[in-house]
Amino acid sequence: TKTDACNDPPDENVEKSELWELVGATKACIVRGWKLRDVNPKEDAKQTSTLKVNSRATCHPYRVYEAPISLASPSRVAAYLVRKGLRKPSNMALAAFTPIADRNDDRQRDRPEPEPTPAVLTTPADPWPRPYYFEDGLRKVHPYHFTYNTYCKERWRGRELLDIFATEFRDRPTAYYKDAIERGNVVINGKPVPTPNHIVNNGDVISHTLHRHEPPVTAQAIGIVHEDNDMIVINKPAGVPVHPAGRYNYNSIVEIMRAERSHAWNPLPCNRLDRLTSGVMFIGKNPKAAEKISMQIQSRTVKKEYIARVIGEFPEGDIVCEQPVMQISPKLGLNRARASGKDAKTVFKRLAYYPPTQKSNGTPERYTDTRTEKERLRESKMVWKAKEGHSIVRCLPVTGRTHQLRVHLQFLGHPISNDPIYCNQRVFGPNLAAGDAASDNDEDIISRLSKMGKSEIAEALAYHDEMVEEYNKKKAEKMTGEVCDICETPLYSDPGAHELGIYLHAKRYACQSGKWEYTSPLPDWALPPPGMLGPTETTKETDPLELDKKLEVMQQIQERSSQPFIEDDAKFLGTMPG
């Protein structure tokens, strides 16, 4: 049984004397070298038409070729026959079929059935209502048993099972994964493996059953910006992931919205925000509406604006960063500015700058330095400490790379003030990798970042403004030294308020054609500090979208400059923003 004739059109250099017959029944088709079958001339003669194809056999006038397997590409064969005038076009849709096998063909009858998809372990737990409870301003989830199921990824092929868990997942120590494999809590294709060094192959399904402890998230409600019959536009709280992933399951936007409405309802996110980022998100109520919005965002016909709070005095004017962005650690979610990365472009515009000390009647307030001698010595070595105060910056991502805004702000020397990765001196050094596009220290950076949150506080170490209390810096999420009574999993402390999110907010999404626009208010951290004056809302003068419009108009003017002046040009120039 040959399938090459199905995938490739018949050769055009055919011998005129070689004829095959095509019966219009669904159980017969034209291919090379398939088994002959006698047919009833009276029943099939009316359906028989003659055509020329390449063949190595002599055809019987009342025999057809029956396919023992389904046709690989019926649409290609039909299109070829129509193109050559050997078949009339049809308005009917083509569909693959499974023809009747030749019962006299022992090979077909004795062929073994294909192996089904391997069985995997599943837990019956799907508690409803969800096991939420609220404490200290946090939404928490009672621990529960859960089974992770995943197919072997390409980079896992040929590797040892324990090595995959130890290098790809940082939720638990290697000793835990080794013990889980030996106990049978980790299985492959539904069956325990003889040793933790078992080799994982392509197509394997890895299952891991455990007592799941979800991290808490903010108890802040999900804000509703707009709702109609097709979609919901929400104001996503910071610190809540969009989809269940990693350590988060029920503490995700999708599951929280399902818990608030109905177990049978399936929210369909149309755009993605990082867990630590807040702001405008689109949730489709049905697949058609979700696909429509998603296609608009992916085709870059939607303009997005973010608000960020960065360290130091961000320069005025329109700042454009076009540094390529590259992922250097999928496990840690770490990205860097690299010349070999993917193209990325962001336009920045400063909204406000607030110095470290507030002024009253033009006279600086007296600042009392309460730092210890050790703290003064440590901070004297920090280059970024000289960048006093903070700035509120409007950001327009022209492209949509992962962590693009965070990486570009770090590259410009003004990282987001409380970014636990890109504003972390213990990871990037005293200058926080400002202007650094080299790759000679990536391994050291990955090693230092992987230690964060284990035995030491996972903080940004850039909290030098007065808005963050020393108490919050100490009350960060870290291992407490205690373990779970059921599964002996090391337990984490509750995260501090500053760890629930970063100072990055998706403020506005607008259709490029002007048909719709959805805006959320400025978050509290972007408002003027107490006793200081500053903008409480964005203005057109500081809108980076206006710069983007100007660039588009200028480009159109350049295109028209090579053509004769027409009367409409005066009206066209009058539409220029600013």
Side-chain angles (χ1 to χ4, degrees), residues 128-160:
W128 188 265
R130 298 305 191 208
Y132 295 121
Y133 67 101
F134 298 88
E135 184 177 73
D136 298 331
L138 298 173
R139 177 190 293 267
K140 298 184 177 182
V141 178
H142 291 289
Y144 57 95
H145 285 89
F146 185 83
T147 299
Y148 292 91
N149 295 309
T150 180
Y151 275 95
C152 170
K153 301 181 184 298
E154 185 177 359
R155 64 177 182 269
W156 297 355
R157 298 175 187 174
R159 292 173 56 186
E160 296 180 356

Side-chain angles (χ1 to χ4, degrees), residues 330-351:
K331 176 181 177 180
L332 301 177
L334 179 63
N335 296 267
R336 298 292 308 276
R338 290 288 178 265
S340 58
K342 297 180 179 180
D343 293 339
K345 181 179 180 180
T346 312
V347 181
F348 298 99
K349 184 87 170 181
R350 192 179 85 184
L351 177 65

Side-chain angles (χ1 to χ4, degrees), residues 157-219:
R157 298 175 187 174
R159 292 173 56 186
E160 296 180 356
L161 181 60
L162 180 60
D163 176 60
I164 293 173
F165 274 95
T167 56
E168 296 281 343
F169 307 102
R170 63 192 298 254
D171 182 33
R172 306 191 184 207
T174 303
Y176 165 82
Y177 293 119
K178 183 176 184 295
D179 181 69
I181 295 172
E182 294 174 345
R183 289 173 176 265
N185 293 335
V186 176
V187 299
I188 294 182
N189 301 330
K191 300 177 182 178
V193 295
T195 170
N197 299 326
H198 179 84
I199 300 300
V200 177
N201 299 311
N202 184 30
D204 285 344
V205 178
I206 304 173
S207 304
H208 180 202
T209 301
L210 75 166
H211 193 233
R212 190 165 184 173
H213 296 256
E214 287 196 43
V217 298
T218 178

Side-chain angles (χ1 to χ4, degrees), residues 441-458:
N441 60 346
D442 284 347
E443 293 299 327
D444 293 339
I445 290 175
I446 292 173
S447 176
R448 291 193 292 266
L449 182 60
S450 64
K451 297 177 182 178
M452 295 290 103
K454 295 298 183 181
S455 58
E456 53 186 286
I457 296 176

Side-chain angles (χ1 to χ4, degrees), residues 404-425:
Q404 175 177 317
L405 298 179
R406 298 164 69 181
V407 172
H408 277 179
L409 287 169
Q410 182 197 46
F411 182 80
L412 294 174
H414 298 274
I416 296 174
S417 301
N418 64 344
D419 194 322
I421 297 179
Y422 301 103
C423 195
N424 194 324
Q425 179 180 294

Side-chain angles (χ1 to χ4, degrees), residues 553-573 575:
V553 173
M554 291 301 297
Q555 183 178 0
Q556 296 179 40
I557 292 177
Q558 291 177 358
E559 294 175 354
R560 284 173 175 247
S561 63
S562 60
Q563 302 175 1
F565 185 82
I566 58 177
E567 186 177 350
D568 290 340
D569 283 340
K571 298 179 181 179
F572 174 75
L573 293 173
T575 64

Side-chain angles (χ1 to χ4, degrees), residues 2 159 172 235 295 316 363 392 420 484 487 517 543:
K2 300 181 179 180
R159 292 173 56 186
R172 306 191 184 207
N235 188 9
M295 291 298 293
E316 293 183 325
T363 304
I392 307 300
C484 173
C487 61
E517 177 177 323
D543 188 357

